[in-house]
Every structure is written in structure tokens, then in C-alpha cells.
Amino acid sequence: MVKMKTGIVYDPVYLSHRIGVHVESHERLVGIMNFLKDKKVMENPNFELIQPRKATTEQIKYVHQESLINEVKEVSEISQVTGHIQQLDMDTAVSAKTYDASLYSVGGLLNGIDEILEGKVNNVFAAVRPPGHHSNAYKCSGFCIFNNIAIATEYLFREKNIKRVAIIDWDCHHGNGTQDIFYNGSENGDVVIFNSHQDGRTLYPGSGFVNDIGSGKGEGKIINYSMPPRAAEDIVMLYFEEIINPICQEFKPEFILISAGFDTHWTDRLTNMGWTIQGPATYLKSIKTMAEEYANGRILITLEGGYEIDKQAKAVYNCLQVLNNNDDNLIEEKPRKSGEEVLNYVNSKLIPELKEHLNPYWNCF
Ligand SMILES: [Zn+2]
């Protein structure tokens, strides 16, 4: 196997977005970093710690309205003055340091991209928070502040001369913010979004169905795969084989950005899926092979959700092993497979319907 250098973006500033007993807790990152320390990942010369920078407000404005940026800043200041956590909406909380941490969260991705494009690392895992994929141009929601991956996409287009980006979002919740932002495509490049998530009829935010395909320049480039509850990772592998791989052979993305949630695990407290700790890494392995073919192996993964701290840490470790071409993955003793009913639904309904919707836009269907 070829030796790989993998960057890990992390900084304690991400712990300063501290929102009390909220499920999107700073302990999620503490759990990941402690596990990587136990496994001596950071001592391995094939891994490199990447420190984030602060993204500029000009860069945040690539996808967000100024009013949203000002709101986050002002509410963080209220929290600073009052000493109390504030709420942007029912789900999304802000502490005194949230505004700063959010700028560093975006800036972590930007530094990761720089290191990849400069050839210092082959690929990057950004262990950042607050997460981003539910926030759209004008509203923060679903525990998310700035949409990290959408800003990273525009950064590639506007500052790095990249023309084609594939976003793969495997968080258990539909990445509705990212979809909203690129629903009509981008004026600055071509972006295809592959979103897999628990069916919106059964989970927040209730969107992301197969007939949601984008419009204008984005028509046919929003690709939603809404998985039934209890689907195991075999179902997302069908998505890769039947949909993602054929489209990418046509689209030839130059850079792959991944919104990685680890809340598809079968024990996750917020969701109802059936993945193991090996699921995301298995999926990533296929994505990586495809990235090597078209994108020179350029993959940046950013952390979104994942609420079982110990399971998430192991799943992240497994993903890092795949990024770094190592085989020593942690495997759950009991493999999980989707039931007959789930498989029948996906094979006879979900995939054929999705192909029918995409047929006018892609030669492969
Ligand atoms: Zn999620």
C-alpha cells in the first residue's frame, strides 16, 4: 500500500462552544481526541495535526447573509455579558465563545484544504465544531452555526480554482442547509451533493426525498437517498454502487468534501438506523477509491453529528485508518445486515425511483 499522510484538524477552541447539557456537547470532541491519544494516532508520523485559522467574515458571506453573521456575533456577546447560554432557536444554542469557535470551525476546513492542495497531506479529517450542515443562507438550525462544508466548497471555487466539487453527506439527518445553499447550484463552479440519511418522514429535519433534485444550474445535482429506519450500512453501499459511482464517472469531481455524521450507529440516541462502527469507514473506502480515480485522492471530511461518544470515537478512528491506507480497523463482533423488508424497499422502490428522477440529467441512467 502507498504511504499516505493524513491531516487531522483540531484545536481546543472547538471546546469553547460550550452549551451546557446539550446533546451536541464538547465531550464529543474530547471523546474523539482521547481515543486517538490512547491509540497513539498523533504519535504516528503518517498523521499530522493541522491547526485552524479564523475564517474571515468575507468568506462566511460566500454562503451566509450578513444578518445571520451579525446575529451569531450579537447573541454570543449577550451570552458573554449575561454569563448564560442563549438559544438561536429551539435546538441551537450559543455560548460566549460560539462566534469565535464557529469562525475557527470554518477556518479549520480552509487550512485543511490548503494543506491538501499544497501537497503537504493527502487527505484531511476535520474534528471541528460547531457543525454546519443544517444552516442555510439566512438561518442557523439543528445545532449548526456556519455551514462549514458549503463555505469550503465556495472557497475551492473562488480562491483555489477548483471547478467541480462533490459533497457527500452521510450524517443520519438530511443536510438541508447545504442543499438549500446549493439548490440552484453555484455561480462559481459545479457542485453535486450526494445526501444519504434516515427517511425524513421519520426524522428531523423532515426533508431530502428523491424528487428533490435542485433547480436552475443545480437541477439534477442534488441527489437524495432517504433510507428507511433500521437500514444497515449495506444500504448505503448500494447507493454508492448504483448512484454515486456512475455519476462521478461522468462528473469527474476534482475534490471530495464529506459531511460526516456518526449518528447512523444503531445505538445512537437521536436516530433509528442500523450501522456499526465500521459502516462509515466501509463507505469511505469506496469513496476513496473513486477519489483516487478523479480527484487525485483529495478528500476532506468534516465532522457533523454523532451522539454516542464512545461509538463515534471508534468510527472516527476507523475512518482515519482508511484515509491513511491502514487495515487495522475496529470491528463490532456482531455484523448487522438490513432486513428483507428494508432491502426490498430499497431495491424495488427507492433506487429505481431515484434513477428515474435523475435520468434526464445523467447519461448513466
Ligand atoms: Zn445528524
Side-chain angles (χ1 to χ4, degrees):
M1 281 261 200
V2 186
K3 272 280 155 236
M4 302 291 280
K5 187 115 179 166
T6 296
I8 299 174
V9 176
Y10 175 74
D11 190 277
V13 72
Y14 299 134
L15 309 181
S16 68
H17 168 59
R18 197 162 290 215
I19 47 179
V21 294
H22 200 290
V23 70
E24 200 289 286
S25 159
H26 65 282
E27 295 290 349
R28 300 175 56 236
L29 275 195
V30 173
I32 291 171
M33 296 315 289
N34 281 346
F35 192 75
L36 299 186
K37 205 186 230 175
D38 286 351
K39 289 285 188 183
K40 302 195 186 328
V41 170
M42 304 317 288
E43 293 166 31
N44 181 336
N46 296 327
F47 290 94
E48 182 194 301
L49 181 69
I50 298 176
Q51 252 125 27
R53 71 178 189 257
K54 233 179 179 173
T56 65
T57 47
E58 282 311 306
Q59 288 164 331
I60 307 298
K61 278 192 232 164
Y62 288 165
V63 311
H64 291 297
Q65 290 178 2
E66 204 163 356
S67 55
L68 175 146
I69 303 171
N70 291 340
E71 186 187 12
V72 175
K73 189 160 186 262
E74 282 165 22
V75 176
S76 291
E77 283 163 7
I78 294 172
S79 183
Q80 170 85 44
V81 173
T82 61
H84 302 140
I85 294 159
Q86 304 292 317
Q87 293 289 135
L88 285 173
D89 68 7
M90 298 296 278
D91 295 324
T92 314
V94 164
S95 71
K97 301 285 185 199
T98 294
Y99 180 67
D100 261 9
S102 304
L103 293 175
Y104 278 108
S105 193
V106 175
L109 272 62
L110 306 189
N111 274 2
I113 285 171
D114 289 354
E115 294 242 339
I116 292 173
L117 292 176
E118 286 162 17
K120 292 181 185 161
V121 298
N122 299 89
N123 45 43
V124 165
F125 187 96
V128 303
R129 60 185 283 284
H133 75 150
H134 293 305
S135 292
N136 65 17
Y138 56 89
K139 186 162 182 1
C140 301
S141 40
F143 319 161
C144 295
I145 307 295
F146 300 142
N147 193 313
N148 303 313
I149 203 164
I151 299 164
T153 304
E154 284 293 325
Y155 177 71
L156 283 167
F157 291 155
R158 298 189 200 201
E159 298 188 41
K160 297 292 156 185
N161 204 29
I162 294 284
K163 298 293 176 216
R164 290 181 309 282
V165 172
I167 295 178
I168 298 177
D169 185 326
W170 76 51
D171 188 277
C172 198
H173 302 88
H174 177 232
N176 56 333
T178 314
Q179 169 170 307
D180 285 354
I181 287 166
F182 293 122
Y183 204 76
N184 298 308
S186 165
E187 286 172 13
N188 307 295
D190 261 328
V191 54
V192 175
I193 304 178
F194 299 99
N195 222 312
S196 62
H197 43 274
Q198 185 176 326
D199 192 307
R201 288 169 291 187
T202 63
L203 189 71
Y204 176 91
S207 52
F209 298 100
V210 290
N211 59 348
D212 240 348
I213 54 165
S215 70
K217 197 186 170 190
E219 200 169 319
K221 290 174 182 159
I222 303 272
I223 296 156
N224 282 311
Y225 187 70
S226 48
M227 300 177 288
R230 297 191 307 285
E233 57 245 38
D234 48 1
I235 297 302
V236 86
M237 296 312 291
L238 288 173
Y239 182 38
F240 182 83
E241 286 153 25
E242 296 284 330
I243 308 286
I244 298 180
N245 204 34
I247 287 180
C248 283
Q249 290 199 23
E250 234 172 287
F251 180 61
K252 298 186 171 43
E254 298 168 89
F255 210 109
I256 316 284
L257 297 173
I258 299 178
S259 267
F262 296 89
D263 42 6
T264 49
H265 193 267
W266 62 277
T267 63
D268 196 277
R269 66 196 62 199
L270 294 190
T271 65
N272 317 103
M273 298 300 284
W275 295 28
T276 65
I277 54 167
Q278 181 63 11
T282 306
Y283 186 24
L284 177 60
K285 212 169 195 171
S286 294
I287 295 168
K288 185 161 171 280
T289 304
M290 183 269 288
E292 273 154 12
E293 209 169 330
Y294 303 111
N296 206 11
R298 295 186 286 226
I299 295 177
L300 179 137
I301 302 180
T302 185
L303 183 66
E304 301 284 359
Y307 305 102
E308 300 306 319
I309 289 173
D310 54 333
K311 315 295 190 311
Q312 169 166 268
K314 288 175 184 163
V316 168
Y317 173 82
N318 282 346
C319 286
L320 287 169
Q321 299 311 300
V322 171
L323 288 179
N324 210 245
N325 281 357
N326 301 326
D327 284 331
D328 53 339
N329 277 10
L330 307 165
I331 295 170
E332 283 183 35
E333 270 174 38
K334 187 169 167 275
R336 298 183 74 86
K337 284 202 162 48
S338 300
E340 273 304 305
E341 203 182 323
V342 167
L343 277 166
N344 281 342
Y345 168 77
V346 169
N347 282 317
S348 67
K349 198 165 154 68
L350 183 64
I351 291 176
E353 279 184 9
L354 182 52
K355 284 183 177 173
E356 206 179 302
H357 284 291
L358 297 174
N359 174 54
Y361 312 98
W362 301 98
N363 295 325
C364 49
F365 301 126

